[in-house]
Amino acid sequence: EVQLVESGGGLVQPGGSLRLSCAASGFTFSSYAMSWVRQAPGKGLEWVSVIRGSGGSTHYADSVKGRFTISRDNSKNTLYLQMNSLRAEDTAVYYCAKVDADMVNGYFDNWGQGTLVTVSS
Amino acid sequence: SYEVTQPPSVSVSPGQTARITCSGDALPNQYAYWYQQKAGQAPVLVIHKDSERPSGIPERFSGSSSGTTVTLTISGVQAEDEGDYYCQSADSSGTYVVFGGGTKLTVV
C-alpha cells in the first residue's frame, strides 16, 4: 500500500523559511516523479513543483519560482520542499503527491493527507 | 500563464446526470485528469487520460473530450458524490501542470 506522510508545517513569519518533508513507502520511490500541490484555505488546488525520479529535472509554478526548492533523497524515500521568503499568500495545506510515472505532467495517483503552513506575523 | 476553466458550481437531483466541463486551449494535445475532493480530505483521482476510470471508481463516472473541452459525467448521481471536482492538465509544452478552479457539485 502506498503511503505518503508529510511533516514540517507550522506557523512562520513573513520572510521566513520552512522545510517540508514527505516520507514515502509502498512503492519504488526512485522510479516515480513526485510533486507538491497546495490548497489555500477555502480555495482550489494549485500545483507547486515537480521532480523527476532521479532528481535531475525540476519545475516550478511561477508563483514560487526562485523562492521554493524541491528535492528528494532516494536513499531515504523522502521528498522535500524548501520554502524561503515566505509570504502570506503561501498559507495553505501542502500535499505531497506521487505521479503515475517518471514524468513531469502525469497524474497524481496517490496523495498524502497534507501539512498546514501558515505565514503570519 | 496557461489556465483551464471550470464552472464554479453544478447542481443536480439524485439519480440525474451531472456534467462538469473543463476548457483550455491545450486540451486537444494534453490529457485531462479529474479529481474528487470531499471536505477535509485529500483529492482522489476519478478519471485519467481523458476517459479512463481507475480501479475502484464506480462506473457512473466517465470522461470525454472534444476539441478544447473535456467533460466529466456522473450518471445516476448519488448523495455521496457531493464535493469539489478539479480537472488537471498541462500547458502546450507539457512542462507545467495546471488545475482548474474547481466545481462544487451539489446534490439537491
Side-chain angles (χ1 to χ4, degrees):
Chain A
E1 178 193 5
V2 172
Q3 288 198 351
L4 301 170
V5 180
E6 303 96 336
S7 60
L11 175 64
V12 60
Q13 292 188 339
S17 298
L18 211 56
R19 188 176 85 154
L20 306 183
S21 300
C22 172
S25 61
F27 64 102
T28 304
F29 184 67
S30 60
S31 295
Y32 295 89
M34 297 291 295
S35 257
W36 289 98
V37 176
R38 69 184 181 183
Q39 186 169 34
K43 302 297 184 181
L45 301 174
E46 181 187 14
W47 172 77
V48 173
S49 183
V50 65
I51 185 169
R52 294 279 302 271
S54 66
S57 178
T58 59
H59 298 282
Y60 300 90
D62 288 343
S63 58
V64 306
K65 198 172 296 183
R67 300 188 299 122
F68 289 11
T69 302
I70 191 172
S71 62
R72 63 193 297 162
D73 186 335
N74 288 342
S75 69
K76 296 181 178 180
N77 288 352
T78 302
L79 175 72
Y80 302 101
L81 185 67
Q82 177 67 44
M83 304 185 295
N84 298 330
S85 303
L86 283 161
R87 308 166 179 166
E89 54 265 35
D90 295 319
T91 294
V93 172
Y94 284 74
Y95 292 102
C96 163
K98 172 183 169 291
V99 184
D100 71 295
D102 190 14
M103 54 191 293
V104 299
N105 62 358
Y107 60 87
F108 306 118
D109 57 4
N110 288 275
W111 299 66
Q113 282 306 301
T115 186
L116 176 63
V117 172
T118 303
V119 184
S120 174
S121 55
Chain B
S1 60
Y2 179 61
E3 296 181 350
V4 291
T5 303
Q6 300 178 232
S9 62
V10 168
S11 295
V12 295
S13 301
Q16 297 300 305
T17 296
R19 294 181 179 85
I20 300 172
T21 59
C22 176
S23 300
D25 289 342
L27 286 174
N29 302 306
Q30 298 292 337
Y31 282 126
Y33 313 104
W34 290 95
Y35 301 87
Q36 176 194 67
Q37 187 181 35
K38 297 185 179 181
Q41 298 182 19
V44 172
L45 180 76
V46 294
I47 292 290
H48 64 92
K49 295 182 181 178
D50 293 346
S51 60
E52 297 187 21
R53 193 172 54 250
S55 61
I57 300 301
E59 290 185 7
R60 63 181 181 272
F61 288 86
S62 64
S64 62
S65 175
S66 179
T68 59
T69 299
V70 294
T71 302
L72 172 68
T73 300
I74 311 172
S75 304
V77 168
Q78 300 182 6
E80 67 195 49
D81 298 330
E82 271 203 346
D84 296 320
Y85 290 82
Y86 296 91
C87 70
Q88 174 218 329
S89 189
D91 68 343
S92 56
S93 73
T95 302
Y96 298 99
V97 170
V98 61
F99 285 98
T103 299
K104 183 175 186 61
L105 176 66
T106 303
V107 182
V108 295

